[in-house]
């Protein structure tokens, strides 16, 4: 049992301790303590007030009682005197007195005693002797004489050993002959009767001064004092009463029990205590409520903060006092602001800042979702779009124009395909996702409208025609996962790119095969570069006016162990993509120089230079070394570059080209007419030769404006002091036409196909007219 109690106490204390540690607990405790203190103080003040009030009331009562007693005594003595006077004046009495008729006198005083209802009637003679009625065995007439002679007629005397009121009336016949004294005993009974006449409960007694003992002795006359009595504290007042007897000092002692008068207020006190108790309890309840009102919102704020820390969006209810409400409001505002910022960050992480379109990541997420729902009845159509020659647009027209085109394209795509997700993947690549296509919807017509949108004129104020390649994949047939569909669209796009500007291509399983073939080729190419598995073939460059071969273009060949001779059309793009072209190109320069140095006469050799080679300073060194090592004069080396070298850092390219020219090497502009604004490049660098692209030459045979264009080129080149060469000339008619348009040189199967190095010498030795040479090809 004790153990249980101990445990309970410990538990209660621990819980109180815990509470006291919380803000709410502390506030409640503080309030309750404060309230209790205030209540105790109020109670103490009220209680002492009550005591004071009760005491003062009792004091007032007591002094009033004293006066009442005096009056009662005076009235009684007056009555006694009146009664006595009647007898003292009575003729018969006087006669009996004069005659000393004792029986008559005795009878008279006894009649008077009964009629006046007093204890005794006494006749005091002038000598102090007395005649007393019955009931007055011991009364000292002599002791009264002094006072009576002085004219005092009222006072207290001792009758049979007790105090008694006395009223004296002179017996005059006519001279004073004695006194008739009426005496009324003041025993305890009489005093009680007297006390009963007063309003308050008072104990009255008459004592002789000599009888006042102890604390009573110190009480002054008329003074009200508190003394300790038998039944608790007493209020006491002592007053003097006139004495009619020598050596008698009677005192009226009035006592009133203070405890009793205070007891009257005990109910009031109880009520006060109860009110205080209720007040403290109410205060405790209110302070607990108040502290909870303060603590609860703070606690929920703390909980919300913790929850927010764990990543749950938690708002708090704005409750409690203004300060806490505003704290809660601030917290909620902070949560909102952080949420908003997170949304912004999320938006930024999923969107492209230039166009505001979703980015690649968002596109893939959306595609992931779409793929989970895809089947033959709900197909997903995805298109990858790549703007043609965008780099050239940026470089030639400036980035603001490029940005404008992208924005305009984004807007048009979104406008035209409101149900689709249009995303921007990278610089000039876009993606379109149309999910949930039903069997009735035709992917071809979607592709056509896409082509139409892309074929429009953008950046209208510049009237700029742009085109784009599109690769399309449709799920589930082209891929069951987002990844597979993305790869399929990518393959379709690269096929479209390879088909030329503005092409659109759907994914076909062949593309996949081609892609893996490409990957395989990449691996093979790496080992071929390592092992130096390449050869150079040479194609004559024929001068129309001189009617002779003036040089050869070195064209790379790759004799593959399994696939036979692989065309550069297949492996050069891969080499460019992988960067292997730099190494391969350097080898081509060295090998071309090495072989050309052995050729008889002044035949030159032209080597193709990839744009990637031109962006490295190493090219100039490589060329200089190749010339030095082979001993080939620089004037016999020609480097063919394409217009695409001007995309990017043009200044750097020009610097390298000038350095090459400074070595004495000639520079030719290859594939002229396929690039962007071709003619402008002619002014940026003093090319030695312009090679007009096969596509133009072929167009000449088809008639149309090609002749005029070729003439414009030759005229301009003439003016700039550049030699012109037409590529891909296969017929004598074309040769004739080119000659007429002012072209200086030709290259093509008409003269010869590219031949192995070993056959160059025999070609040079032949130097026959074109018709004959063709047979050699
Ligand atoms: P290219 O520089 O325009 O070379 C001319 C291409 O036209 C050669 O193709 C040549 O065989 C072909 N050709 C010449 N005459 C005719 C003709 O009458 N009719 C037709 N249909 N074609 C003709 P090839 O050798 O297949 O080379 C293709 C391309 O590969 C070259 O085009 C060149 O851009 C690139 N290439 C070849 N070797 C190298 C090299 O060593 N380095 C670099 N960077 N590129 C090279
Ligand atoms: Ca070439
Ligand atoms: Ca060419």
């Amino acid at each position: 049992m004790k153990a249980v109690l101990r445990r309970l106490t410990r538990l209660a204390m621990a819980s109180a301790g815990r509470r006291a540690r919380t803000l709410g607990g502390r506030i409640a405790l503080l309030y309750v303590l404060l309230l209790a203190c205030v209540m105790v103080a109020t109670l103490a003040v009220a209680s002492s007030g009550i005591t004071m009030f009760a005491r003062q009331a009792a004091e007032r009562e007591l002094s009033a009682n004293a006066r009442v007693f005096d009056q009662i005594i005076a009235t009684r003595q007056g009555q006694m005197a009146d009664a006595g006077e009647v007898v003292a004046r009575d003729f018969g009495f006087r006669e009996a007195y004069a005659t000393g008729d004792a029986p008559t006198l005795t009878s008279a005083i006894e009649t008077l005693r009964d009629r006046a209802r007093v204890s005794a009637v006494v006749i005091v003679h002038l000598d102090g002797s007395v005649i007393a009625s019955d009931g007055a065995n011991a009364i000292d007439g002599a002791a009264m004489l002094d006072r009576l002679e002085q004219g005092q007629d009222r006072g207290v005397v001792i009758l049979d050993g007790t105090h008694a009121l006395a009223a004296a009336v002179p017996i005059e016949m006519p001279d004073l002959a004695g006194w008739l004294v009426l005496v009324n005993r003041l025993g305890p009974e009489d005093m009680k009767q007297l006390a009963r006449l007063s309003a308050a409960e008072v104990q009255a007694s008459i004592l002789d001064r000599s009888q006042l003992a102890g604390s009573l002795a110190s009480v002054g006359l008329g003074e009200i004092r508190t003394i300790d009595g038998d039944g608790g504290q007493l209020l006491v007042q002592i007053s003097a009463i006139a004495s009619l007897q020598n050596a008698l000092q009677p005192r009226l002692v009035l006592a009133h029990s203070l405890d009793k008068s205070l007891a009257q207020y005990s109910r009031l006190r109880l009520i006060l205590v109860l009110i205080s108790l209720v007040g403290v309890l109410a205060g405790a309840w209110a302070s607990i409520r108040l502290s909870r009102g303060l603590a609860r919102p703070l606690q929920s704020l703390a909980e919300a903060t913790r929850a927010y820390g764990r990543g749950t969006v938690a708002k708090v209810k704005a409750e409690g006092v203004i300060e806490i409400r505003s704290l809660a409001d601030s917290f909620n505002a902070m949560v909102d602001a952080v949420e908003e910022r997170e949304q912004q960050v999320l938006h930024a992480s999923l969107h492209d800042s230039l166009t505001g379109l979703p980015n690649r990541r968002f596109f893939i997420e959306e595609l992931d979702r779409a793929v989970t729902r895809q089947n033959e009845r709900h197909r997903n159509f995805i298109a990858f779009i790549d703007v043609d020659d965008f780099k050239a647009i940026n470089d030639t027209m400036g980035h603001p124009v490029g940005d404008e085109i992208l924005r305009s394209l984004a807007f048009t795509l979104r406008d035209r395909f409101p149900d689709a997700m249009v995303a921007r993947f990278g610089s000039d690549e876009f993606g379109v996702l149309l999910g949930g296509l039903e069997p009735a919807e035709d992917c071809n017509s979607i592709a056509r409208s896409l082509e139409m949108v892309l074929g429009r004129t953008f950046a209208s104020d510049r009237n700029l025609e742009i085109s784009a390649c599109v690769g399309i994949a449709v799920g589930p047939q082209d891929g069951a996962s987002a990844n597979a569909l993305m790869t399929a669209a990518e393959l379709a796009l690269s096929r479209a790119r390879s088909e030329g500007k503005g092409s659109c291509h759907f994914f076909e399983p062949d593309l996949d095969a081609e892609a893996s073939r490409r990957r395989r080729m990449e691996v093979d190419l790496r080992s071929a570069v390592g092992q130096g598995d390449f050869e150079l073939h040479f194609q004559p460059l024929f001068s129309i006016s001189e009617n002779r071969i003036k040089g050869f273009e070195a064209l790379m060949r790759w004799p593959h162990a399994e696939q036979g001779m692989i065309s550069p059309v297949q492996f050069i793009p891969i080499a460019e993509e992988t960067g292997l072209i730099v190494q391969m190109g350097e080898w081509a320069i060295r090998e071309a120089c090495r072989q050309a140095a052995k050729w008889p006469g002044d035949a030159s050799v032209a080597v193709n230079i990839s744009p990637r080679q031109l962006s490295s300073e190493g090219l100039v060194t490589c060329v200089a070394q190749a010339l030095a090592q082979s001993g080939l004069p620089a004037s016999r080396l020609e480097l063919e570059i394409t217009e695409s070298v001007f995309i990017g850092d043009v200044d750097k390219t020009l610097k390298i080209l000038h350095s090459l020219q400074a070595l004495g090497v000639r520079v030719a502009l290859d594939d002229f007419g396929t690039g962007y604004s071709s003619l402008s490049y002619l002014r940026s660098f003093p090319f030695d030769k312009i090679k007009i692209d096969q596509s133009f030459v072929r167009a000449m045979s088809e008639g149309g404006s090609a002749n005029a264009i070729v003439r414009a080129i030759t005229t301009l080149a003439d003016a700039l002091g550049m030699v012109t060469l037409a590529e891909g000339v296969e017929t004598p008619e074309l040769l004739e036409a080119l000659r007429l348009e002012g072209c200086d040189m030709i290259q093509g199967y008409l003269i010869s196909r590219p031949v192995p190095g070993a056959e160059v010498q025999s070609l040079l030795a032949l130097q026959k007219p074109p018709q004959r040479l063709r047979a050699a090809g």
Side-chain angles (χ1 to χ4, degrees):
M1 184 68 189
K2 261 189 188 167
V4 172
L5 266 177
R6 254 204 308 275
R7 252 194 93 182
L8 278 176
T9 321
R10 234 176 312 164
L11 272 176
M13 283 185 47
S15 129
R18 257 197 317 279
R19 285 231 177 111
R21 274 198 298 274
T22 66
L23 176 66
R26 280 187 191 178
I27 292 172
L29 197 70
L30 195 73
Y31 266 77
V32 169
L33 284 178
L34 261 176
L35 208 69
C37 288
V38 169
M39 285 301 181
V40 166
T42 311
L43 217 59
V45 169
S47 171
S48 74
I50 287 171
T51 309
M52 221 155 78
F53 177 78
R55 190 200 175 88
Q56 281 172 356
E59 279 178 6
R60 274 197 304 277
E61 194 71 40
L62 209 58
S63 48
N65 276 344
R67 283 195 299 278
V68 168
F69 261 78
D70 284 347
Q71 267 171 14
I72 290 170
I73 289 170
T75 310
R76 187 79 182 109
Q77 281 175 328
Q79 286 167 351
M80 281 155 67
D82 287 348
E85 203 135 326
V86 172
V87 174
R89 283 204 195 131
D90 181 76
F91 181 73
F93 175 76
R94 277 202 288 186
E95 200 178 45
Y97 191 80
T99 57
D101 181 357
T104 309
L105 285 175
T106 306
S107 145
I109 57 175
E110 283 192 347
T111 311
L112 178 60
R113 181 198 65 199
D114 296 338
R115 213 179 53 230
R117 285 202 295 275
V118 295
S119 308
V121 177
V122 183
I123 296 167
V124 180
H125 298 289
L126 291 175
D127 59 358
S129 59
V130 294
I131 301 170
S133 67
D134 253 3
N137 300 324
I139 190 157
D140 189 354
M144 285 186 250
L145 266 184
D146 283 349
R147 310 281 166 111
L148 290 171
E149 279 168 0
Q150 282 162 21
Q152 189 182 331
D153 55 358
R154 290 176 196 183
V156 172
V157 295
I158 300 292
L159 175 66
D160 299 337
T162 60
H163 287 97
L165 282 181
V169 181
I171 307 167
E172 290 165 333
M173 343 224 255
D175 294 327
L176 182 70
W179 292 275
L180 185 62
V181 182
L182 286 83
V183 184
N184 198 23
R185 226 179 246 113
L186 283 173
E189 256 326 294
D190 304 285
M191 290 315 284
K192 257 185 213 158
Q193 264 179 333
L194 272 172
R196 244 174 253 133
L197 290 170
S198 107
E201 196 182 317
V202 176
Q203 287 168 314
S205 53
I206 293 187
L207 296 172
D208 192 69
R209 187 184 167 187
S210 57
Q211 288 175 302
L212 297 176
S215 44
L216 275 179
S218 64
V219 181
L221 287 177
E223 200 184 0
I224 296 176
R225 276 276 200 96
T226 312
I227 60 161
D228 290 320
D230 298 337
Q233 288 205 309
L234 292 172
L235 267 186
V236 177
Q237 188 180 26
I238 298 176
S239 44
I241 308 175
S243 162
L244 207 59
Q245 196 171 320
N246 277 345
L248 188 65
Q249 288 179 301
R251 296 285 185 262
L252 174 65
V253 180
L254 291 178
H256 175 75
S257 166
L258 198 58
D259 291 347
K260 273 191 187 161
S261 64
L262 285 178
Q264 291 174 358
Y265 296 96
S266 62
R267 252 182 75 180
L268 182 63
R269 266 179 224 266
L270 189 71
I271 289 170
L272 269 178
V273 168
L274 282 176
I275 289 174
S276 303
L277 212 63
V278 168
V280 169
L281 287 177
W285 176 78
S287 64
I288 287 170
R289 274 203 60 135
L290 174 74
S291 68
R292 276 207 193 138
L294 278 178
R296 206 194 304 117
L298 284 177
Q299 212 171 338
S300 46
L301 199 62
E303 274 163 20
T305 313
R306 277 196 293 276
Y308 196 54
R310 289 193 301 271
T312 324
V313 176
K315 293 257 193 104
V316 284
K317 222 164 75 192
E319 58 179 1
V321 293
I322 285 182
E323 288 82 354
I324 291 187
R325 277 212 302 275
S326 99
L327 192 62
D329 286 341
S330 308
F331 177 82
N332 289 341
M334 180 197 77
V335 169
D336 284 341
V338 172
E339 280 295 293
E340 197 185 307
R341 222 166 310 149
E342 272 182 10
Q343 288 297 323
Q344 282 169 357
V345 169
L346 189 70
H347 186 272
S349 74
L350 292 175
H351 288 80
D352 162 51
S353 57
L354 177 71
T355 58
L357 290 181
N359 60 15
R360 189 186 177 89
R361 191 177 138 201
F362 195 1
F363 185 88
I364 293 173
E365 280 178 15
E366 189 66 24
L367 183 60
D368 267 328
R369 276 190 286 275
V371 160
T372 58
R373 295 187 294 267
Q374 86 178 359
N375 53 42
E376 287 305 332
R377 318 199 106 264
H378 290 95
R379 293 169 301 155
N380 288 313
F381 174 101
I382 67 167
F384 284 6
I385 298 162
D386 183 13
V387 179
D388 295 325
D389 292 327
F390 185 70
K391 203 163 162 36
I393 297 171
N394 254 348
D395 289 338
T396 54
M397 315 200 72
H399 284 264
V401 177
D403 288 351
E404 192 189 329
I405 289 171
L406 292 176
R407 271 196 297 264
S408 160
L409 184 59
F411 177 80
T412 316
L413 282 170
R414 215 163 29 182
D415 186 52
R416 182 60 191 78
F417 299 97
D419 299 332
M421 178 187 230
V422 179
R424 181 176 173 220
F425 289 171
S427 67
D428 58 347
E429 281 195 35
F430 291 84
V432 175
L433 164 64
L434 258 167
L437 291 187
E438 288 170 7
E441 287 178 278
D442 180 15
C443 291
N444 286 312
S445 72
I446 300 173
R448 271 197 300 281
S449 37
L450 203 53
E451 277 183 295
M452 255 168 62
V453 168
L454 295 170
R456 280 171 50 176
T457 304
F458 292 92
S460 48
D461 55 327
R462 286 181 182 76
N463 221 23
L464 195 65
E465 288 277 352
I466 72 144
S467 63
C469 287
V470 184
I472 296 167
V474 180
Q477 73 203 41
D478 297 339
S481 67
N483 219 1
L485 277 175
M486 296 282 287
T487 312
E490 193 66 63
L491 286 171
L493 177 63
S494 54
R495 165 53 69 91
R497 275 199 208 103
S498 71
E499 285 174 0
K501 294 179 190 176
S503 304
C504 175
H505 212 282
F506 273 88
F507 172 79
E508 291 157 9
D510 284 0
L511 295 178
D512 214 7
E514 190 190 297
S516 51
R517 203 165 52 237
R518 250 177 101 92
R519 278 194 295 277
R520 226 177 17 252
M521 188 178 278
E522 195 184 311
V523 175
D524 289 353
L525 195 60
R526 276 182 202 281
S527 66
V529 168
Q531 293 162 15
D533 282 351
F534 302 99
E535 288 177 10
L536 286 182
H537 281 201
F538 297 91
Q539 187 176 31
L541 307 172
F542 187 81
S543 163
I544 301 173
S545 55
E546 293 178 34
N547 195 29
R548 70 172 184 112
I549 296 170
K550 291 195 76 176
F552 292 86
E553 178 178 1
L555 295 159
M556 215 183 279
R557 296 290 179 265
W558 180 16
H560 193 274
E562 293 153 28
Q563 297 172 37
M565 195 65 85
I566 301 179
S567 157
V569 178
Q570 282 178 38
F571 68 84
I572 291 291
I574 298 174
E576 280 180 331
E577 262 173 43
T578 54
L580 289 168
I581 191 70
V582 177
Q583 224 179 316
M584 288 161 67
E586 286 180 355
W587 171 82
I589 294 167
R590 281 195 304 275
E591 182 62 12
C593 290
R594 190 185 66 80
Q595 292 199 31
K598 292 178 189 155
W599 296 338
D602 61 351
S604 64
V605 68
V607 183
N608 290 286
I609 302 295
S610 149
R612 283 188 79 144
Q613 285 176 273
L614 254 181
S615 59
S616 71
E617 302 259 1
L619 178 66
V620 182
T621 321
C622 173
V623 169
Q625 278 177 352
L627 290 173
Q629 279 167 4
S630 63
L632 182 78
S635 58
R636 284 176 62 195
L637 177 62
E638 197 166 79
L639 299 179
E640 297 189 1
I641 60 154
T642 57
E643 287 166 303
S644 55
V645 298
F646 292 106
I647 293 169
D649 192 347
V650 178
D651 289 342
K652 190 177 166 196
T653 305
L654 288 174
K655 216 181 105 193
I656 295 172
L657 289 179
H658 281 294
S659 312
L660 289 169
Q661 249 180 359
L663 286 177
V665 171
R666 280 179 291 156
V667 180
L669 184 58
D670 204 355
D671 303 340
F672 185 78
T674 54
Y676 222 71
S677 45
S678 309
L679 291 175
S680 66
Y681 296 125
L682 294 182
R683 288 199 186 85
S684 59
F685 184 77
F687 290 103
D688 296 287
K689 187 186 278 174
I690 297 168
K691 295 183 81 177
I692 303 167
D693 193 67
Q694 291 188 21
S695 53
F696 273 99
V697 176
R698 220 161 290 142
M700 284 176 76
S701 58
E702 292 158 11
S705 58
N707 287 48
I709 295 173
V710 171
R711 192 177 319 134
I713 295 170
T714 56
T715 311
L716 181 65
D718 243 13
L720 293 169
M722 299 173 186
V723 173
T724 46
L725 179 145
E727 294 184 309
V729 180
E730 294 181 0
T731 62
E733 293 75 29
L734 263 177
L735 169 59
E736 187 52 27
L738 287 162
R739 198 180 56 81
L740 287 174
E741 298 303 347
C743 196
D744 303 314
M745 297 178 78
I746 60 159
Q747 177 181 2
Y749 296 170
L750 177 66
I751 306 299
S752 168
R753 285 178 181 266
V755 296
E759 293 175 29
V760 170
Q761 304 243 10
S762 57
L763 271 180
L764 278 172
L766 278 171
Q767 283 291 356
K768 297 278 161 64
Q771 287 85 346
R772 296 276 305 275
L773 282 171
R774 186 170 42 154

